[in-house]
Amino acid sequence: MKALLIEDDTHLNQQLVAQLKQHGYVVETALDGKEGLYLGLEYPIDIAIIDLGLPLISGIEVIQQLRAQQKKFPILILTARSRWQEKVQGLDAGADDYLVKPFQIEELLARLNALQRRFAGWSSPVLAFSEFTLDTKSQSVYKKSQQSDQNLEIELTAYEYKVLEYLLLHGGKVISKSELTEHIYAQDFDRDSNVMEVFIRRLRKKLDPDKSLNPIITHRGSGYSIPVTAK
Amino acid sequence: MISIHQRVFISSLVTLCLFLGLSGWVLEGFFNQYVEKHLHERLENIVYSLLASAFEEPSSGKMRLPELLADPVLNQPGSSIRAYIVGENKKYQWFSASTIGSDFKIPISINLTLGKKKYVIIENKISRLMFMVSWEDYQAIEQHYLLVVEIKRDNILQQIKAFQYQLGIWLGGSGLLLLIGLSLLLSWSLRPLRQANEELKQIQKGEQQHLSQQYPAELLSLTKNINQLIQLSISRMQRYRNSLGDLAHSLKTPLAIIQGAFDSNDDQQLKTAIKEQLGRINELIQYQLQRASIAGENSNFSTINMNLIIEKVIRSLDKVYADKNIVCQFNMDRARLYKADEGDLMEVIGNLLDNAYKYGQKKISLNLKILSQHLKLIIEDDGTGIAENQYQQLLQRGKRADNKVSGHGIGFGIVVDIIQQYKGTIELTKSKQLGGLKIIITLPLPSF
């Protein structure tokens, strides 16, 4: 997932970027509202974290501008002031959730997950498709065993999980290899479209070893998709 | 901005000028009239005295006048009064002695009806009175004679000038005196303003706390308001100081705990201590900050549309708790504007509704009732509620943010503080309709 972080405190900014990257996000970041707004409008963002007290352009204004330009990705606001007036103002301007500083990083990640999932249309943190369930909270995948009717966990690497989660959250849509790379594989690595093919291959092997279920569909020349509608 | 002094000065100057000018003009008019009338009368008297001096010419019986008259003014050559008589178809002409050596000009072609008088002023230099009389001679023929009496106007003009001068001096002088008097009066009248200024300077220096009560009725509401503002900032500063004091005091314990864990050289203990106390410290700071930012009663309130605020908060919470799919029903019996600080009101509604959303399952109801002297805000949820014996504890929260009551956090404490500041009440009970907690908040409605 590509996250936009606009936070003017350099220390906090660095901390958050590191932690987000650690949890598999590709991060675009800015230290002021003007730069942040530019990034939000120019890059394909999946989710944004915006601090309300920003220099140049205020957080509220950035949110209003993004929404005015039809940017619909979920926005979580960070605020140092826990007064309700501020929270309501931010939410009214177009944000979807808020977090009061200081916060625990786990709280932030959990909320981001919930927002993504909700935005994709899933009402529960557990996403089900075909014989599988993906728990976005624990970031694990389960397969219903034919024999015991139990759910067996499938071991996936962080990136494999990310790819699967992305395809599932955009269920039904065809996602190109470059889109997957842009949103999942961090920019400082060499962008090699082969990488995605490798991930998909490995995923298929782990999820569907006997090739009976075919959870991921290849669209020649376009990309991949998981045919499922959000519930 | 024109000062009050200047305003009063200019307006009285204008008024004085108008009044004195008008008076002067009227007085001068009357004087002129009087003087002219007097002049005219004098000329008439002379005409009659001329007639009285007339005698019959011994042979014809026609009208004749002596060389010298009883009235000495006509006898003096060069005097300002001249008389002339012409009659009998210009056959008879009589000049008063005063016409000798003067620039007397015989009036030309005068048509005057018998018995009529005519008064003219010639180039403002001469006033002339003419009288056409008839005189029956011995042959019983009516002879017509024109009597002309003239007076040079320079005397009267001088009189008028003298009067103008006198008038000018007296009116101008009294005008000046009036202005001076007015300035003094003004100074005296505006003294309360100067006093207020002085007192404000003292207050700024810190030598005085409030404006004294001795002010005229017009300034009283102003000084009362200033005193209120002063009181407000004093109490706010006091509150900030108290909050800081409370905060410093409450922070000592968690800091001591961390210090102790650090001194123990036990990494695990330190880690646990930091984790626990961090949360506590954060909560304390947030609570005190929030308390300090309560605007409270007596601040500059705006009139608020309550249902707009409530609807905004509901919309926000619907977003935040979208996963829970809670339905919040809001009813108000009629719209009412309320005078309060918008931030405070949002704080109350935000915190209470947030709790309701957090602990509720599917339904929340919010009722706003407007009564004659109060407004009632009732929030009910369908959660698990709170045990009755914990109501008191929850309501006492306003003092120290130490004890936690069933995870309700500091939000409720802030609500209690705010309601107290607005002199309202909170009541907790079980909701019969929804089964969870029911909170009834009563706020007094100030008279508008």
Side-chain angles (χ1 to χ4, degrees):
Chain A
M1 287 293 169
K2 205 177 188 63
L4 168 66
L5 172 68
I6 316 178
E7 166 59 64
D8 64 321
D9 182 306
T10 8
H11 193 76
L12 184 59
N13 190 310
Q14 282 172 350
Q15 244 187 356
L16 284 176
V17 168
Q19 280 161 331
L20 286 169
K21 281 192 176 161
Q22 213 183 359
H23 285 84
Y25 284 93
V26 174
V27 187
E28 297 289 344
T29 178
L31 289 168
D32 65 74
K34 197 166 168 202
E35 170 87 17
L37 179 61
Y38 171 75
L39 292 174
L41 293 173
E42 287 299 309
Y43 289 85
I45 303 291
D46 292 313
I47 190 160
I49 305 156
I50 303 179
D51 179 36
L52 284 188
L54 293 172
L56 295 182
I57 304 181
S58 76
I60 298 277
E61 233 198 285
V62 172
I63 297 172
Q64 285 170 335
Q65 293 268 25
L66 287 171
R67 292 304 186 219
Q69 300 285 344
Q70 308 303 323
K71 293 292 174 187
K72 303 218 198 290
F73 51 77
I75 298 176
L76 179 130
I77 46 182
L78 298 179
T79 162
R81 275 182 249 187
S82 43
R83 288 271 280 181
W84 271 95
Q85 210 172 8
E86 271 229 343
K87 297 180 200 166
V88 169
Q89 201 189 5
L91 291 165
D92 219 31
D96 301 278
D97 201 354
Y98 70 89
L99 205 51
V100 178
K101 291 198 259 192
F103 51 83
Q104 300 198 314
I105 189 66
E106 293 88 2
E107 174 94 51
L108 176 67
L109 295 166
R111 289 204 191 221
L112 291 177
N113 260 329
L115 281 175
Q116 277 163 237
R117 193 219 338 120
R118 230 159 55 204
F119 183 63
W122 296 90
S123 53
S124 145
V126 177
L127 321 179
F129 69 107
S130 142
E131 300 296 307
F132 308 94
T133 47
L134 186 142
D135 186 343
T136 53
K137 279 200 167 152
S138 57
Q139 307 224 321
S140 32
V141 184
Y142 300 91
K143 181 176 181 177
K144 203 183 292 178
S145 137
Q146 281 117 337
Q147 293 94 7
S148 57
D149 208 36
Q150 256 189 335
N151 279 326
L152 300 167
E153 182 166 356
I154 301 180
E155 287 278 338
L156 295 177
T157 66
Y159 278 117
E160 285 164 5
Y161 173 81
K162 285 286 160 195
V163 170
L164 184 61
E165 190 193 45
Y166 194 89
L167 288 173
L168 202 50
L169 281 177
H170 293 82
K173 293 200 207 125
V174 178
I175 313 290
S176 66
K177 273 181 273 192
S178 51
E179 183 177 338
L180 278 173
T181 317
E182 172 128 38
H183 286 252
I184 295 171
Y185 215 42
Q187 245 176 329
D188 30 10
F189 292 170
D190 272 304
R191 289 246 207 105
D192 187 341
S193 61
N194 249 335
V195 174
M196 280 303 144
E197 284 181 7
V198 171
F199 283 151
I200 298 285
R201 202 179 335 125
R202 285 205 222 136
L203 261 179
R204 280 177 168 150
K205 213 161 161 199
K206 290 185 182 176
L207 293 174
D208 184 32
D210 48 7
K211 301 212 182 157
S212 57
L213 298 165
N214 220 358
I216 305 174
I217 301 179
T218 304
H219 302 260
R220 269 205 178 276
S222 320
Y224 306 99
S225 79
I226 293 183
V228 71
T229 38
K231 297 162 212 112
Chain B
M1 179 74 159
I2 309 178
S3 74
I4 296 181
H5 263 107
Q6 286 172 319
R7 283 176 207 257
V8 177
F9 188 74
I10 291 174
S11 48
S12 30
L13 191 67
V14 168
T15 313
L16 266 179
C17 282
L18 277 174
F19 175 72
L20 290 176
L22 195 71
S23 310
W25 184 69
V26 165
L27 279 172
E28 198 196 330
F30 276 131
F31 181 75
N32 286 0
Q33 253 185 354
Y34 172 77
V35 172
E36 290 283 357
K37 191 170 174 207
H38 192 253
L39 188 74
H40 192 167
E41 271 178 14
R42 191 163 179 213
L43 287 177
E44 285 218 5
N45 287 341
I46 295 177
V47 164
Y48 286 127
S49 78
L50 274 180
L51 281 174
S53 310
F55 59 90
E56 291 169 346
E57 204 263 319
S59 55
S60 60
K62 294 193 173 103
M63 187 174 96
R64 290 290 176 268
L65 272 106
E67 284 278 334
L68 292 172
L69 296 161
D71 194 350
V73 75
L74 285 171
N75 298 334
Q76 264 175 316
S79 106
S80 57
I81 305 186
R82 286 96 59 109
Y84 164 73
I85 302 180
V86 62
E88 296 166 18
N89 286 321
K90 299 223 176 116
K91 287 203 205 106
Y92 175 65
Q93 280 192 359
W94 177 86
F95 294 85
S96 70
S98 52
T99 57
I100 301 169
S102 76
D103 53 357
F104 178 74
K105 295 189 194 83
I106 300 172
I108 326 160
S109 61
I110 296 156
N111 261 336
L112 205 56
T113 355
L114 190 62
K116 286 282 189 226
K117 293 197 198 93
K118 188 172 178 185
Y119 178 75
V120 293
I121 299 178
I122 300 165
E123 288 170 21
N124 208 17
K125 291 200 185 118
I126 292 174
S127 272
R128 180 186 290 164
L129 184 63
M130 296 175 281
F131 194 16
M132 189 66 103
V133 299
S134 77
W135 180 283
E136 200 181 287
D137 65 12
Y138 290 152
Q139 288 168 335
I141 300 170
E142 286 219 353
Q143 301 289 350
H144 290 180
Y145 299 90
L146 179 70
L147 276 70
V148 177
V149 184
E150 269 183 11
I151 184 168
K152 282 199 230 171
R153 286 178 67 78
D154 34 6
N155 195 18
I156 178 179
L157 289 178
Q158 208 181 16
Q159 275 188 311
I160 290 176
K161 243 202 188 117
F163 180 75
Q164 279 178 340
Y165 180 71
Q166 285 284 328
L167 194 66
I169 288 186
W170 279 101
L171 284 182
S174 38
L176 200 68
L177 278 174
L178 273 174
L179 271 181
I180 291 173
L182 231 121
S183 305
L184 290 172
L185 266 177
L186 191 64
S187 216
W188 177 75
S189 309
L190 294 181
R191 204 189 314 144
L193 281 179
R194 276 201 304 278
Q195 185 187 342
N197 224 8
E198 285 300 317
E199 285 203 70
L200 280 174
K201 278 197 197 135
Q202 292 290 84
I203 292 175
Q204 271 186 322
K205 274 197 254 177
E207 288 171 31
Q208 205 179 318
Q209 273 225 334
H210 293 105
L211 292 172
S212 70
Q213 298 300 316
Q214 341 278 16
Y215 281 100
E218 293 89 347
L219 287 181
L220 214 49
S221 64
L222 183 67
T223 52
K224 268 205 186 126
N225 271 325
I226 292 179
N227 276 340
Q228 254 186 357
L229 278 174
I230 294 175
Q231 191 54 47
L232 183 67
S233 78
I234 288 178
S235 56
R236 201 176 257 166
M237 199 132 41
Q238 194 57 44
R239 232 167 348 113
Y240 276 128
R241 271 197 220 112
N242 288 345
S243 294
L244 276 176
D246 282 346
L247 181 62
H249 189 100
S250 336
L251 283 178
K252 285 190 182 155
T253 320
L255 287 175
I257 296 177
I258 295 178
Q259 183 70 49
F262 181 73
D263 291 337
S264 73
N265 270 320
D266 178 341
D267 274 353
Q268 189 52 47
Q269 194 182 346
L270 183 60
K271 213 172 171 184
T272 324
I274 289 183
K275 185 163 183 201
E276 283 173 359
Q277 299 312 313
L278 263 182
R280 192 168 168 185
I281 291 174
N282 277 333
E283 219 183 59
L284 281 167
I285 292 176
Q286 255 186 44
Y287 177 65
Q288 290 299 350
L289 266 179
Q290 295 226 47
R291 273 192 83 217
S293 52
I294 297 175
E297 230 188 8
N298 290 330
S299 338
N300 286 334
F301 287 163
S302 43
T303 36
I304 300 165
N305 210 327
M306 281 202 87
N307 62 327
L308 281 182
I309 292 193
I310 294 176
E311 280 161 17
K312 259 195 199 178
V313 178
I314 294 179
R315 271 204 305 268
S316 301
L317 286 170
D318 279 343
K319 269 193 196 182
V320 175
Y321 290 94
D323 281 342
K324 286 184 97 174
N325 278 320
I326 291 189
V327 174
C328 179
Q329 212 176 19
F330 170 40
N331 281 322
M332 75 189 276
D333 52 4
R334 60 188 161 91
R336 223 280 200 187
L337 295 173
Y338 184 56
K339 241 185 164 192
D341 178 79
E342 193 177 303
D344 288 348
L345 213 56
M346 238 193 229
E347 203 58 27
V348 168
I349 295 175
N351 276 310
L352 293 177
L353 270 185
D354 187 47
N355 279 338
Y357 269 80
K358 209 185 295 184
Y359 297 107
Q361 289 177 3
K362 286 280 158 224
K363 281 176 142 195
I364 299 175
S365 97
L366 213 168
N367 269 299
L368 186 59
K369 287 203 174 94
I370 316 286
L371 306 166
S372 57
Q373 308 256 321
H374 303 92
L375 62 81
K376 259 192 163 81
L377 190 64
I378 305 169
I379 303 176
E380 301 176 71
D381 65 61
D382 61 351
T384 47
I386 305 177
E388 274 193 40
N389 52 17
Q390 295 204 308
Y391 288 168
Q392 265 307 101
Q393 224 183 338
L394 199 58
L395 290 172
Q396 295 281 12
R397 271 298 243 106
K399 316 299 174 203
R400 289 275 172 94
D402 294 352
N403 340 318
K404 274 201 156 110
V405 179
S406 53
H408 268 255
I410 57 170
F412 205 84
I414 297 288
V415 171
V416 169
D417 272 349
I418 295 178
I419 301 295
Q420 260 172 11
Q421 291 243 6
Y422 282 79
K423 308 233 173 20
T425 59
I426 309 185
E427 194 193 318
L428 297 175
T429 177
K430 187 178 165 86
S431 164
K432 288 191 204 109
Q433 268 193 316
L434 297 176
L437 183 65
K438 178 170 176 175
I439 306 174
I440 305 171
I441 298 204
T442 320
L443 286 168
L445 281 173
S447 40
F448 262 109

